[in-house]
Amino acid sequence: MNIPVHIGIIMDGNGRWAKKRFMPRQVGHRQGGENLRKLAYEVEKLGVKYLTVYAFSTENWKRPEEEVSFLIGLLREKIQEYIDDKDKNNMRINCIGDLTCLDKKTQADIEHLKQITKNKTGLQVNIAFNYGGRGELIRAVKKMYNDLLKTNLDVNNITEGILEKYLDTSGIPDPELIIRTSGEFRTSNFLLWQSAYSEYYITDKLWPDFNKDDLMEAIKKFNERERRFGGRK
Ligand code: IPE
Ligand code: IPE
Ligand code: MG
């Protein structure tokens, strides 16, 4: 079986998971966070190198303040947990997105976690927080523009490869497979540039219920796809 090097997951359905159990949405988010911990181990065991998970989109600020602050608090808690557990696994943990929305302490903890796990050789987990593909492109273009001014690089020499260096995922291969839980057929602004040729797998399973068997099913379906990249068989 062909195992993708990079898998993306749109972890959707925490709210519906809680609603089905007549519980507050927060319980669903907490369960979703727990599921990520479990699933990351399964992903690593398969030999996948990169896992990028959508935890909070630039559009999720539209939600009630109470839910937004709960999600930020949950991220803080998880970062702390990953720091405490750093010797228990072989994962590199990184956050992508516009992290300047977070308080200085959380930003420092994220950087610290990245540094203390950077020499690990297992799975790299990228947690996309305050991430949106459009926002990422704007941030990339701004940084590239500043560098262009400094280096006098001719605008006509800009290539896809150059722009890619300014993306949050710089140096990471594009995801071959993107999984979306909870049945929605849309990208919701996730990895817009990087997903140009990703295979999508959509399941009705809600994120907190998505398990190892579901992961294997997604990879099996991925293996059945004929990837042409615009060419011909
Ligand atoms: C995904 O679960 C987590 C975030 C978007 C933060 P949702 O909160 O979107 O759950 P549903 O879609 O309402 O079920
Ligand atoms: C996408 O889910 C974002 C995350 C999973 C973090 P949403 O629940 O925000 O997406 P929409 O609103 O259904 O498109
Ligand atoms: Mg949702």
Side-chain angles (χ1 to χ4, degrees):
M1 196 148 63
N2 176 13
I3 301 293
V5 174
H6 183 179
I7 298 180
I9 306 185
I10 302 173
M11 308 184 291
D12 199 10
N14 295 347
R16 277 164 278 181
W17 185 91
K19 195 169 177 220
K20 262 173 67 179
R21 288 163 179 76
F22 307 101
M23 293 198 283
R25 297 179 65 83
Q26 275 82 337
V27 179
H29 290 315
R30 194 165 281 290
Q31 198 63 31
E34 208 33 60
N35 197 40
L36 171 60
R37 257 161 96 82
K38 273 196 271 171
L39 207 82
Y41 282 106
E42 300 301 337
V43 170
E44 182 172 47
K45 271 196 256 165
L46 290 173
V48 175
K49 287 289 164 210
Y50 303 93
L51 173 68
T52 302
V53 292
Y54 209 6
F56 189 90
S57 76
T58 46
E59 286 70 38
N60 285 147
W61 294 102
K62 292 177 192 156
R63 296 189 181 197
E65 210 273 322
E66 183 192 58
E67 183 170 0
V68 169
S69 41
F70 182 84
L71 289 165
I72 295 174
L74 193 59
L75 174 76
R76 279 199 202 107
E77 233 178 78
K78 290 285 157 196
I79 296 297
Q80 203 51 57
E81 247 173 57
Y82 285 124
I83 291 175
D84 296 340
D85 284 359
K86 70 166 194 325
D87 296 326
K88 293 192 193 146
N89 64 60
N90 197 21
M91 292 180 200
R92 275 169 293 153
I93 320 235
N94 198 14
C95 286
I96 64 167
D98 184 0
L99 304 175
T100 58
C101 69
L102 299 168
D103 60 274
K104 290 277 177 288
K105 161 89 169 67
T106 307
Q107 289 184 48
D109 285 348
I110 288 172
E111 185 55 30
H112 176 62
L113 178 59
K114 184 179 171 182
Q115 291 306 325
I116 60 177
T117 60
K118 74 171 184 212
N119 293 324
K120 305 240 181 205
T121 54
L123 179 71
Q124 175 168 329
V125 181
N126 303 309
I127 302 172
F129 201 93
N130 192 25
Y131 174 88
R134 289 181 173 185
E136 177 191 35
L137 277 165
I138 294 292
R139 283 185 287 111
V141 168
K142 282 181 182 168
K143 280 184 267 173
M144 186 174 69
Y145 177 76
N146 277 326
D147 283 357
L148 282 183
L149 292 178
K150 278 186 240 156
T151 59
N152 293 320
L153 176 73
D154 187 339
V155 74
N156 294 310
N157 291 336
I158 294 174
T159 60
E160 291 183 8
I162 290 177
L163 195 134
E164 253 163 18
K165 288 201 179 67
Y166 292 90
L167 296 176
D168 294 349
T169 52
S170 164
I172 300 173
D174 290 341
E176 296 100 313
L177 171 64
I178 294 183
I179 297 170
R180 181 162 189 155
T181 56
S182 308
E184 243 75 66
F185 284 71
R186 53 179 171 258
T187 71
S188 301
N189 208 4
F190 186 54
L191 301 180
L192 294 185
W193 172 286
Q194 299 87 338
S195 65
Y197 271 99
S198 301
E199 295 296 331
Y200 267 85
Y201 174 80
I202 290 156
T203 169
D204 283 336
K205 272 280 184 95
L206 305 174
W207 170 249
D209 291 330
F210 187 86
N211 60 28
K212 184 188 168 183
D213 292 343
D214 301 315
L215 173 68
M216 293 317 294
E217 181 62 19
I219 295 178
K220 183 171 156 257
K221 285 285 184 298
F222 166 76
N223 273 266
E224 290 166 8
R225 305 272 176 88
E226 187 191 312
R227 306 188 72 202
R228 289 185 295 275
F229 301 98
R232 284 174 59 174
K233 190 63 182 156

